[in-house]
């Protein structure tokens, strides 16, 4: 007794093929060809039926000037015989058309399906290459690219778009790795310093109450530094995430408030403040816009020189609001300007002139500007210091040609 076929094998044979794009294209090619062929067959049948109409058979024979047939058509009985014969011939020809033409159409349709299958596979081959390459590329090998060759068609455009996406993902992963490493280092440094201070106080038998007090003050100062760093990290994460609470914001009002709050510190540092504030309305998040303005002004305050100055300007041109902050300070090499907008990047190492802060202020400015679609232009000043311009996009009302 032969073994019974297993149910799963039977189901596999009964299962319909997967509806791939190649199968759908082949069915579409075959369906279009069959439809056009059916229309052509119907038109051909009508034309053949008209061409072999028995009622006008003798008239067409007279046009051919065949003498014996013309004489036969002239006699009544012979004319009836010719008409009957013509009907038989016409019916036989139409029957042949109805039998042979559909058979030929079926054969050619099968051939069209086979050719359509081959052509669809040829057309979709780059797509299969893209799929296989995209599956191979992961977080560990984002440097790989599809690099499709061939004509500049839609599939090549798709491959180039994916290559650009992989490049952006690679840059994002690399930035994330650097950010995590730098954040870990920045947080570990004050923790190590606190542990060292406490360990020294504990190991010293002659530690007095005053020594413990000084140690506690140092630990609190270090703790405040950690708190400031964590707040900056949270601000950076919030800025990169953006915010949907966009409304009309006047840069002039925000810059005026920030300057008013920073004037006492500017006076204590001996810095001259120059302000040229004009109304400049943008469409954005008020809190993030205020943080951007405050970070630029704080950067100009902290990284300045004694008896220096900084200038704050707000203006609007062609519906675009612009904030400009220019300050004196240490000489900045042009090659280092872009680096200063990266997280934890300072002009000089920590502990040296120009190496203060956490190195997150300008990176927060960059993130907030990106969330608003703004453009940052930064350039070093010849005598030292930095000039930063932030240009926001035009408001939706301004783009439409009207304003509130």
């Amino acid at each position: 007794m032969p073994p019974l076929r297993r149910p799963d094998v039977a189901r596999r044979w009964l299962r319909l093929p997967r509806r791939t794009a190649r199968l759908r294209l082949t069915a579409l090619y075959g369906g279009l060809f069959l439809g056009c062929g059916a229309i052509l067959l119907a038109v051909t049948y009508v034309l053949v039926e008209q061409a072999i109409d028995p009622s006008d058979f003798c008239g067409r024979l007279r046009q051919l000037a065949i003498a014996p047939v013309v004489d036969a058509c002239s006699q009544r009985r012979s004319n009836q015989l010719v008409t009957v014969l013509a009907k038989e011939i016409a019916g036989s020809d139409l029957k042949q058309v109805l039998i042979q033409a559909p058979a030929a159409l079926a054969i050619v349709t099968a051939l069209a399906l086979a050719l359509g299958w081959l052509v669809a596979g040829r057309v979709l081959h780059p797509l299969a290459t893209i799929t296989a390459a995209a599956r191979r590329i992961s977080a560990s090998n984002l440097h790989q690219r599809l690099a499709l060759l061939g004509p500049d068609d839609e599939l090549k455009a798709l491959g180039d778009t994916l290559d650009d996406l992989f490049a952006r993902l690679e840059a994002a992963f690399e930035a994330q790795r650097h950010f995590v490493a730098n954040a870990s280092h920045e947080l570990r440094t004050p923790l190590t310093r606190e542990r060292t201070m406490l360990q020294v106080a504990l190991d010293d038998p002659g530690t007095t109450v005053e020594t413990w007090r000084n140690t506690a003050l140092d630990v609190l100062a270090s703790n405040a530094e950690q708190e400031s760093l964590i707040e900056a990290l949270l601000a950076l994460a919030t800025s990169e995430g953006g915010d949907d609470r966009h409304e009309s914001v006047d840069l002039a009002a925000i810059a005026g408030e920030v300057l008013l709050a920073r004037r006492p510190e500017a006076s204590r540092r001996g810095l001259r403040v120059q302000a040229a504030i004009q109304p400049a309305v943008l469409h954005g998040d008020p809190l993030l816009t205020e943080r951007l303005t405050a970070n630029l002004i704080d950067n100009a305050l902290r990284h300045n020189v004694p008896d220096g100055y900084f200038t704050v300007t707000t203006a609007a041109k062609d519906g675009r609001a612009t904030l400009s902050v220019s300050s004196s300070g240490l000489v900045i090499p042009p090659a280092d300007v872009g680096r200063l907008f990266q997280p934890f990047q300072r002009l000089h190492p920590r502990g040296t002139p120009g190496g203060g802060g956490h190195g997150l202020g300008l990176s927060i400015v960059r993130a907030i500007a990106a969330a608003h679609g703004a453009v940052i232009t930064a350039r070093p000043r010849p005598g030292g210091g930095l000039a930063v311009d932030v240009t926001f996009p035009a408001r939706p009302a301004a783009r439409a040609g009207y304003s509130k």
Side-chain angles (χ1 to χ4, degrees), residues 74-108:
S74 301
Q75 301 177 11
R76 183 175 181 181
R77 178 173 292 182
S78 298
N79 189 8
Q80 293 176 352
L81 181 61
V82 170
T83 302
V84 172
L85 181 61
K87 288 182 178 180
E88 291 294 331
I89 295 173
S92 177
D93 290 345
L94 289 175
K95 186 177 181 180
Q96 289 295 108
V97 171
L98 289 177
I99 293 175
Q100 296 178 359
L105 179 60
I107 294 173
V108 177

PDB file of all heavy atoms in Angstrom, residues 74-108:
ATOM      1  N   SER A  74     -25.920  35.655 -64.764  1.00  0.00           N
ATOM      2  CA  SER A  74     -26.951  36.310 -65.554  1.00  0.00           C
ATOM      3  C   SER A  74     -28.202  35.456 -65.637  1.00  0.00           C
ATOM      4  O   SER A  74     -29.306  35.973 -65.845  1.00  0.00           O
ATOM      5  CB  SER A  74     -26.434  36.614 -66.968  1.00  0.00           C
ATOM      6  OG  SER A  74     -25.297  37.455 -66.887  1.00  0.00           O
ATOM      7  N   GLN A  75     -28.061  34.125 -65.554  1.00  0.00           N
ATOM      8  CA  GLN A  75     -29.200  33.225 -65.595  1.00  0.00           C
ATOM      9  C   GLN A  75     -29.783  33.096 -64.191  1.00  0.00           C
ATOM     10  O   GLN A  75     -29.073  32.992 -63.212  1.00  0.00           O
ATOM     11  CB  GLN A  75     -28.763  31.859 -66.121  1.00  0.00           C
ATOM     12  CG  GLN A  75     -28.154  31.939 -67.530  1.00  0.00           C
ATOM     13  CD  GLN A  75     -27.670  30.585 -68.009  1.00  0.00           C
ATOM     14  OE1 GLN A  75     -27.966  29.554 -67.387  1.00  0.00           O
ATOM     15  NE2 GLN A  75     -26.958  30.593 -69.126  1.00  0.00           N
ATOM     16  N   ARG A  76     -31.090  33.049 -64.105  1.00  0.00           N
ATOM     17  CA  ARG A  76     -31.764  33.082 -62.801  1.00  0.00           C
ATOM     18  C   ARG A  76     -31.428  31.857 -61.974  1.00  0.00           C
ATOM     19  O   ARG A  76     -31.080  31.963 -60.804  1.00  0.00           O
ATOM     20  CB  ARG A  76     -33.277  33.175 -63.015  1.00  0.00           C
ATOM     21  CG  ARG A  76     -34.050  33.283 -61.707  1.00  0.00           C
ATOM     22  CD  ARG A  76     -35.501  33.494 -61.981  1.00  0.00           C
ATOM     23  NE  ARG A  76     -36.232  33.621 -60.743  1.00  0.00           N
ATOM     24  CZ  ARG A  76     -37.552  33.803 -60.647  1.00  0.00           C
ATOM     25  NH1 ARG A  76     -38.282  33.897 -61.793  1.00  0.00           N
ATOM     26  NH2 ARG A  76     -38.147  33.908 -59.481  1.00  0.00           N
ATOM     27  N   ARG A  77     -31.568  30.621 -62.641  1.00  0.00           N
ATOM     28  CA  ARG A  77     -31.319  29.415 -61.869  1.00  0.00           C
ATOM     29  C   ARG A  77     -29.860  29.343 -61.474  1.00  0.00           C
ATOM     30  O   ARG A  77     -29.524  28.986 -60.342  1.00  0.00           O
ATOM     31  CB  ARG A  77     -31.705  28.187 -62.701  1.00  0.00           C
ATOM     32  CG  ARG A  77     -31.420  26.868 -61.977  1.00  0.00           C
ATOM     33  CD  ARG A  77     -31.947  25.703 -62.733  1.00  0.00           C
ATOM     34  NE  ARG A  77     -33.423  25.759 -62.729  1.00  0.00           N
ATOM     35  CZ  ARG A  77     -34.201  24.823 -63.302  1.00  0.00           C
ATOM     36  NH1 ARG A  77     -33.653  23.795 -63.927  1.00  0.00           N
ATOM     37  NH2 ARG A  77     -35.519  24.933 -63.282  1.00  0.00           N
ATOM     38  N   SER A  78     -29.005  29.708 -62.437  1.00  0.00           N
ATOM     39  CA  SER A  78     -27.575  29.678 -62.112  1.00  0.00           C
ATOM     40  C   SER A  78     -27.257  30.700 -61.033  1.00  0.00           C
ATOM     41  O   SER A  78     -26.405  30.468 -60.158  1.00  0.00           O
ATOM     42  CB  SER A  78     -26.755  29.961 -63.376  1.00  0.00           C
ATOM     43  OG  SER A  78     -27.009  28.953 -64.346  1.00  0.00           O
ATOM     44  N   ASN A  79     -27.947  31.829 -61.053  1.00  0.00           N
ATOM     45  CA  ASN A  79     -27.720  32.859 -60.031  1.00  0.00           C
ATOM     46  C   ASN A  79     -28.078  32.337 -58.646  1.00  0.00           C
ATOM     47  O   ASN A  79     -27.368  32.575 -57.663  1.00  0.00           O
ATOM     48  CB  ASN A  79     -28.548  34.091 -60.377  1.00  0.00           C
ATOM     49  CG  ASN A  79     -28.185  35.258 -59.482  1.00  0.00           C
ATOM     50  OD1 ASN A  79     -27.238  35.178 -58.720  1.00  0.00           O
ATOM     51  ND2 ASN A  79     -28.948  36.325 -59.570  1.00  0.00           N
ATOM     52  N   GLN A  80     -29.193  31.603 -58.529  1.00  0.00           N
ATOM     53  CA  GLN A  80     -29.581  31.030 -57.238  1.00  0.00           C
ATOM     54  C   GLN A  80     -28.552  30.012 -56.766  1.00  0.00           C
ATOM     55  O   GLN A  80     -28.224  29.942 -55.572  1.00  0.00           O
ATOM     56  CB  GLN A  80     -30.952  30.384 -57.350  1.00  0.00           C
ATOM     57  CG  GLN A  80     -32.073  31.391 -57.585  1.00  0.00           C
ATOM     58  CD  GLN A  80     -33.422  30.709 -57.791  1.00  0.00           C
ATOM     59  OE1 GLN A  80     -33.484  29.471 -57.913  1.00  0.00           O
ATOM     60  NE2 GLN A  80     -34.495  31.506 -57.833  1.00  0.00           N
ATOM     61  N   LEU A  81     -28.031  29.213 -57.725  1.00  0.00           N
ATOM     62  CA  LEU A  81     -27.034  28.211 -57.364  1.00  0.00           C
ATOM     63  C   LEU A  81     -25.746  28.864 -56.857  1.00  0.00           C
ATOM     64  O   LEU A  81     -25.151  28.435 -55.863  1.00  0.00           O
ATOM     65  CB  LEU A  81     -26.736  27.326 -58.581  1.00  0.00           C
ATOM     66  CG  LEU A  81     -25.716  26.205 -58.367  1.00  0.00           C
ATOM     67  CD1 LEU A  81     -26.221  25.238 -57.298  1.00  0.00           C
ATOM     68  CD2 LEU A  81     -25.443  25.457 -59.678  1.00  0.00           C
ATOM     69  N   VAL A  82     -25.368  29.935 -57.560  1.00  0.00           N
ATOM     70  CA  VAL A  82     -24.158  30.641 -57.134  1.00  0.00           C
ATOM     71  C   VAL A  82     -24.349  31.251 -55.744  1.00  0.00           C
ATOM     72  O   VAL A  82     -23.443  31.243 -54.894  1.00  0.00           O
ATOM     73  CB  VAL A  82     -23.777  31.722 -58.169  1.00  0.00           C
ATOM     74  CG1 VAL A  82     -22.677  32.632 -57.633  1.00  0.00           C
ATOM     75  CG2 VAL A  82     -23.336  31.074 -59.460  1.00  0.00           C
ATOM     76  N   THR A  83     -25.548  31.781 -55.498  1.00  0.00           N
ATOM     77  CA  THR A  83     -25.808  32.387 -54.192  1.00  0.00           C
ATOM     78  C   THR A  83     -25.736  31.351 -53.074  1.00  0.00           C
ATOM     79  O   THR A  83     -25.152  31.588 -52.002  1.00  0.00           O
ATOM     80  CB  THR A  83     -27.187  33.063 -54.199  1.00  0.00           C
ATOM     81  OG1 THR A  83     -27.214  34.045 -55.248  1.00  0.00           O
ATOM     82  CG2 THR A  83     -27.476  33.731 -52.861  1.00  0.00           C
ATOM     83  N   VAL A  84     -26.322  30.178 -53.315  1.00  0.00           N
ATOM     84  CA  VAL A  84     -26.263  29.106 -52.314  1.00  0.00           C
ATOM     85  C   VAL A  84     -24.823  28.682 -52.079  1.00  0.00           C
ATOM     86  O   VAL A  84     -24.376  28.476 -50.932  1.00  0.00           O
ATOM     87  CB  VAL A  84     -27.129  27.913 -52.756  1.00  0.00           C
ATOM     88  CG1 VAL A  84     -26.923  26.721 -51.810  1.00  0.00           C
ATOM     89  CG2 VAL A  84     -28.595  28.308 -52.778  1.00  0.00           C
ATOM     90  N   LEU A  85     -24.095  28.534 -53.189  1.00  0.00           N
ATOM     91  CA  LEU A  85     -22.691  28.145 -53.065  1.00  0.00           C
ATOM     92  C   LEU A  85     -21.899  29.201 -52.290  1.00  0.00           C
ATOM     93  O   LEU A  85     -21.041  28.876 -51.446  1.00  0.00           O
ATOM     94  CB  LEU A  85     -22.085  27.942 -54.457  1.00  0.00           C
ATOM     95  CG  LEU A  85     -20.617  27.514 -54.511  1.00  0.00           C
ATOM     96  CD1 LEU A  85     -20.438  26.169 -53.805  1.00  0.00           C
ATOM     97  CD2 LEU A  85     -20.131  27.436 -55.956  1.00  0.00           C
ATOM     98  N   ALA A  86     -22.204  30.467 -52.538  1.00  0.00           N
ATOM     99  CA  ALA A  86     -21.501  31.548 -51.849  1.00  0.00           C
ATOM    100  C   ALA A  86     -21.798  31.535 -50.348  1.00  0.00           C
ATOM    101  O   ALA A  86     -20.924  31.766 -49.511  1.00  0.00           O
ATOM    102  CB  ALA A  86     -21.900  32.900 -52.447  1.00  0.00           C
ATOM    103  N   LYS A  87     -23.060  31.211 -49.993  1.00  0.00           N
ATOM    104  CA  LYS A  87     -23.393  31.127 -48.569  1.00  0.00           C
ATOM    105  C   LYS A  87     -22.633  30.009 -47.887  1.00  0.00           C
ATOM    106  O   LYS A  87     -22.173  30.143 -46.750  1.00  0.00           O
ATOM    107  CB  LYS A  87     -24.900  30.924 -48.412  1.00  0.00           C
ATOM    108  CG  LYS A  87     -25.733  32.160 -48.749  1.00  0.00           C
ATOM    109  CD  LYS A  87     -27.208  31.894 -48.511  1.00  0.00           C
ATOM    110  CE  LYS A  87     -28.038  33.147 -48.804  1.00  0.00           C
ATOM    111  NZ  LYS A  87     -29.493  32.902 -48.586  1.00  0.00           N
ATOM    112  N   GLU A  88     -22.537  28.882 -48.575  1.00  0.00           N
ATOM    113  CA  GLU A  88     -21.806  27.761 -47.990  1.00  0.00           C
ATOM    114  C   GLU A  88     -20.331  28.116 -47.776  1.00  0.00           C
ATOM    115  O   GLU A  88     -19.742  27.808 -46.740  1.00  0.00           O
ATOM    116  CB  GLU A  88     -21.925  26.527 -48.902  1.00  0.00           C
ATOM    117  CG  GLU A  88     -23.323  25.929 -48.959  1.00  0.00           C
ATOM    118  CD  GLU A  88     -23.725  25.352 -47.623  1.00  0.00           C
ATOM    119  OE1 GLU A  88     -22.829  24.905 -46.866  1.00  0.00           O
ATOM    120  OE2 GLU A  88     -24.935  25.360 -47.305  1.00  0.00           O
ATOM    121  N   ILE A  89     -19.751  28.761 -48.797  1.00  0.00           N
ATOM    122  CA  ILE A  89     -18.333  29.150 -48.688  1.00  0.00           C
ATOM    123  C   ILE A  89     -18.147  30.173 -47.562  1.00  0.00           C
ATOM    124  O   ILE A  89     -17.203  30.081 -46.764  1.00  0.00           O
ATOM    125  CB  ILE A  89     -17.825  29.710 -50.033  1.00  0.00           C
ATOM    126  CG1 ILE A  89     -17.840  28.597 -51.092  1.00  0.00           C
ATOM    127  CG2 ILE A  89     -16.430  30.289 -49.895  1.00  0.00           C
ATOM    128  CD1 ILE A  89     -17.510  29.097 -52.482  1.00  0.00           C
ATOM    129  N   ALA A  90     -19.050  31.142 -47.498  1.00  0.00           N
ATOM    130  CA  ALA A  90     -18.939  32.174 -46.459  1.00  0.00           C
ATOM    131  C   ALA A  90     -19.071  31.566 -45.068  1.00  0.00           C
ATOM    132  O   ALA A  90     -18.315  31.893 -44.146  1.00  0.00           O
ATOM    133  CB  ALA A  90     -20.014  33.247 -46.666  1.00  0.00           C
ATOM    134  N   GLY A  91     -20.057  30.655 -44.888  1.00  0.00           N
ATOM    135  CA  GLY A  91     -20.199  30.020 -43.580  1.00  0.00           C
ATOM    136  C   GLY A  91     -18.988  29.208 -43.201  1.00  0.00           C
ATOM    137  O   GLY A  91     -18.560  29.197 -42.037  1.00  0.00           O
ATOM    138  N   SER A  92     -18.416  28.499 -44.215  1.00  0.00           N
ATOM    139  CA  SER A  92     -17.215  27.708 -43.936  1.00  0.00           C
ATOM    140  C   SER A  92     -16.040  28.604 -43.551  1.00  0.00           C
ATOM    141  O   SER A  92     -15.288  28.299 -42.607  1.00  0.00           O
ATOM    142  CB  SER A  92     -16.868  26.856 -45.160  1.00  0.00           C
ATOM    143  OG  SER A  92     -15.668  26.144 -44.935  1.00  0.00           O
ATOM    144  N   ASP A  93     -15.891  29.720 -44.261  1.00  0.00           N
ATOM    145  CA  ASP A  93     -14.774  30.636 -43.941  1.00  0.00           C
ATOM    146  C   ASP A  93     -14.929  31.252 -42.560  1.00  0.00           C
ATOM    147  O   ASP A  93     -13.960  31.354 -41.790  1.00  0.00           O
ATOM    148  CB  ASP A  93     -14.695  31.732 -45.000  1.00  0.00           C
ATOM    149  CG  ASP A  93     -14.215  31.195 -46.352  1.00  0.00           C
ATOM    150  OD1 ASP A  93     -13.693  30.060 -46.368  1.00  0.00           O
ATOM    151  OD2 ASP A  93     -14.375  31.902 -47.357  1.00  0.00           O
ATOM    152  N   LEU A  94     -16.177  31.662 -42.230  1.00  0.00           N
ATOM    153  CA  LEU A  94     -16.393  32.247 -40.900  1.00  0.00           C
ATOM    154  C   LEU A  94     -16.165  31.220 -39.803  1.00  0.00           C
ATOM    155  O   LEU A  94     -15.658  31.533 -38.725  1.00  0.00           O
ATOM    156  CB  LEU A  94     -17.813  32.818 -40.804  1.00  0.00           C
ATOM    157  CG  LEU A  94     -18.083  34.086 -41.615  1.00  0.00           C
ATOM    158  CD1 LEU A  94     -19.549  34.476 -41.519  1.00  0.00           C
ATOM    159  CD2 LEU A  94     -17.211  35.233 -41.136  1.00  0.00           C
ATOM    160  N   LYS A  95     -16.552  29.958 -40.070  1.00  0.00           N
ATOM    161  CA  LYS A  95     -16.316  28.909 -39.090  1.00  0.00           C
ATOM    162  C   LYS A  95     -14.828  28.685 -38.874  1.00  0.00           C
ATOM    163  O   LYS A  95     -14.367  28.507 -37.736  1.00  0.00           O
ATOM    164  CB  LYS A  95     -16.985  27.618 -39.563  1.00  0.00           C
ATOM    165  CG  LYS A  95     -16.923  26.485 -38.543  1.00  0.00           C
ATOM    166  CD  LYS A  95     -17.674  25.274 -39.049  1.00  0.00           C
ATOM    167  CE  LYS A  95     -17.622  24.157 -38.010  1.00  0.00           C
ATOM    168  NZ  LYS A  95     -18.363  22.934 -38.480  1.00  0.00           N
ATOM    169  N   GLN A  96     -14.060  28.750 -39.959  1.00  0.00           N
ATOM    170  CA  GLN A  96     -12.620  28.608 -39.835  1.00  0.00           C
ATOM    171  C   GLN A  96     -12.028  29.761 -39.021  1.00  0.00           C
ATOM    172  O   GLN A  96     -11.118  29.573 -38.199  1.00  0.00           O
ATOM    173  CB  GLN A  96     -11.969  28.563 -41.224  1.00  0.00           C
ATOM    174  CG  GLN A  96     -12.246  27.283 -42.005  1.00  0.00           C
ATOM    175  CD  GLN A  96     -11.621  26.075 -41.317  1.00  0.00           C
ATOM    176  OE1 GLN A  96     -12.334  25.252 -40.740  1.00  0.00           O
ATOM    177  NE2 GLN A  96     -10.311  25.997 -41.350  1.00  0.00           N
ATOM    178  N   VAL A  97     -12.570  30.972 -39.258  1.00  0.00           N
ATOM    179  CA  VAL A  97     -12.085  32.132 -38.505  1.00  0.00           C
ATOM    180  C   VAL A  97     -12.394  31.960 -37.022  1.00  0.00           C
ATOM    181  O   VAL A  97     -11.555  32.228 -36.152  1.00  0.00           O
ATOM    182  CB  VAL A  97     -12.712  33.434 -39.056  1.00  0.00           C
ATOM    183  CG1 VAL A  97     -12.396  34.620 -38.140  1.00  0.00           C
ATOM    184  CG2 VAL A  97     -12.202  33.710 -40.453  1.00  0.00           C
ATOM    185  N   LEU A  98     -13.608  31.509 -36.695  1.00  0.00           N
ATOM    186  CA  LEU A  98     -14.009  31.351 -35.299  1.00  0.00           C
ATOM    187  C   LEU A  98     -13.229  30.233 -34.600  1.00  0.00           C
ATOM    188  O   LEU A  98     -13.070  30.256 -33.384  1.00  0.00           O
ATOM    189  CB  LEU A  98     -15.507  31.057 -35.213  1.00  0.00           C
ATOM    190  CG  LEU A  98     -16.437  32.237 -35.552  1.00  0.00           C
ATOM    191  CD1 LEU A  98     -17.889  31.788 -35.507  1.00  0.00           C
ATOM    192  CD2 LEU A  98     -16.213  33.387 -34.574  1.00  0.00           C
ATOM    193  N   ILE A  99     -12.745  29.235 -35.345  1.00  0.00           N
ATOM    194  CA  ILE A  99     -12.019  28.123 -34.738  1.00  0.00           C
ATOM    195  C   ILE A  99     -10.528  28.417 -34.662  1.00  0.00           C
ATOM    196  O   ILE A  99      -9.889  28.266 -33.608  1.00  0.00           O
ATOM    197  CB  ILE A  99     -12.274  26.815 -35.524  1.00  0.00           C
ATOM    198  CG1 ILE A  99     -13.748  26.395 -35.381  1.00  0.00           C
ATOM    199  CG2 ILE A  99     -11.363  25.700 -35.021  1.00  0.00           C
ATOM    200  CD1 ILE A  99     -14.119  25.204 -36.203  1.00  0.00           C
ATOM    201  N   GLN A 100      -9.955  28.851 -35.750  1.00  0.00           N
ATOM    202  CA  GLN A 100      -8.503  28.997 -35.826  1.00  0.00           C
ATOM    203  C   GLN A 100      -8.004  30.267 -35.142  1.00  0.00           C
ATOM    204  O   GLN A 100      -6.946  30.259 -34.496  1.00  0.00           O
ATOM    205  CB  GLN A 100      -8.064  28.972 -37.294  1.00  0.00           C
ATOM    206  CG  GLN A 100      -8.340  27.657 -37.983  1.00  0.00           C
ATOM    207  CD  GLN A 100      -7.934  27.672 -39.438  1.00  0.00           C
ATOM    208  OE1 GLN A 100      -7.451  28.691 -39.950  1.00  0.00           O
ATOM    209  NE2 GLN A 100      -8.133  26.553 -40.121  1.00  0.00           N
ATOM    210  N   ALA A 101      -8.764  31.372 -35.275  1.00  0.00           N
ATOM    211  CA  ALA A 101      -8.294  32.636 -34.695  1.00  0.00           C
ATOM    212  C   ALA A 101      -8.194  32.570 -33.168  1.00  0.00           C
ATOM    213  O   ALA A 101      -7.174  32.970 -32.594  1.00  0.00           O
ATOM    214  CB  ALA A 101      -9.189  33.793 -35.136  1.00  0.00           C
ATOM    215  N   PRO A 102      -9.223  32.073 -32.434  1.00  0.00           N
ATOM    216  CA  PRO A 102      -9.053  31.962 -30.973  1.00  0.00           C
ATOM    217  C   PRO A 102      -7.918  31.025 -30.579  1.00  0.00           C
ATOM    218  O   PRO A 102      -7.225  31.278 -29.586  1.00  0.00           O
ATOM    219  CB  PRO A 102     -10.405  31.423 -30.496  1.00  0.00           C
ATOM    220  CG  PRO A 102     -11.371  31.853 -31.539  1.00  0.00           C
ATOM    221  CD  PRO A 102     -10.614  31.767 -32.826  1.00  0.00           C
ATOM    222  N   ALA A 103      -7.741  29.933 -31.334  1.00  0.00           N
ATOM    223  CA  ALA A 103      -6.630  29.039 -31.019  1.00  0.00           C
ATOM    224  C   ALA A 103      -5.295  29.757 -31.193  1.00  0.00           C
ATOM    225  O   ALA A 103      -4.387  29.637 -30.351  1.00  0.00           O
ATOM    226  CB  ALA A 103      -6.694  27.797 -31.913  1.00  0.00           C
ATOM    227  N   ALA A 104      -5.178  30.495 -32.285  1.00  0.00           N
ATOM    228  CA  ALA A 104      -3.935  31.253 -32.490  1.00  0.00           C
ATOM    229  C   ALA A 104      -3.751  32.311 -31.410  1.00  0.00           C
ATOM    230  O   ALA A 104      -2.638  32.533 -30.913  1.00  0.00           O
ATOM    231  CB  ALA A 104      -3.961  31.917 -33.871  1.00  0.00           C
ATOM    232  N   LEU A 105      -4.877  32.953 -31.006  1.00  0.00           N
ATOM    233  CA  LEU A 105      -4.790  33.962 -29.955  1.00  0.00           C
ATOM    234  C   LEU A 105      -4.349  33.335 -28.636  1.00  0.00           C
ATOM    235  O   LEU A 105      -3.550  33.913 -27.893  1.00  0.00           O
ATOM    236  CB  LEU A 105      -6.150  34.650 -29.786  1.00  0.00           C
ATOM    237  CG  LEU A 105      -6.239  35.720 -28.693  1.00  0.00           C
ATOM    238  CD1 LEU A 105      -5.262  36.850 -28.965  1.00  0.00           C
ATOM    239  CD2 LEU A 105      -7.669  36.254 -28.572  1.00  0.00           C
ATOM    240  N   ALA A 106      -4.862  32.125 -28.321  1.00  0.00           N
ATOM    241  CA  ALA A 106      -4.462  31.445 -27.084  1.00  0.00           C
ATOM    242  C   ALA A 106      -2.981  31.101 -27.090  1.00  0.00           C
ATOM    243  O   ALA A 106      -2.275  31.272 -26.085  1.00  0.00           O
ATOM    244  CB  ALA A 106      -5.295  30.186 -26.900  1.00  0.00           C
ATOM    245  N   ILE A 107      -2.476  30.629 -28.245  1.00  0.00           N
ATOM    246  CA  ILE A 107      -1.053  30.279 -28.337  1.00  0.00           C
ATOM    247  C   ILE A 107      -0.188  31.516 -28.171  1.00  0.00           C
ATOM    248  O   ILE A 107       0.803  31.527 -27.408  1.00  0.00           O
ATOM    249  CB  ILE A 107      -0.775  29.579 -29.681  1.00  0.00           C
ATOM    250  CG1 ILE A 107      -1.505  28.229 -29.731  1.00  0.00           C
ATOM    251  CG2 ILE A 107       0.726  29.376 -29.889  1.00  0.00           C
ATOM    252  CD1 ILE A 107      -1.425  27.554 -31.070  1.00  0.00           C
ATOM    253  N   VAL A 108      -0.563  32.592 -28.870  1.00  0.00           N
ATOM    254  CA  VAL A 108       0.237  33.822 -28.788  1.00  0.00           C
ATOM    255  C   VAL A 108       0.135  34.433 -27.389  1.00  0.00           C
ATOM    256  O   VAL A 108       1.105  35.006 -26.880  1.00  0.00           O
ATOM    257  CB  VAL A 108      -0.229  34.825 -29.876  1.00  0.00           C
ATOM    258  CG1 VAL A 108       0.548  36.127 -29.760  1.00  0.00           C
ATOM    259  CG2 VAL A 108      -0.032  34.234 -31.249  1.00  0.00           C
TER     260      VAL A 108
END
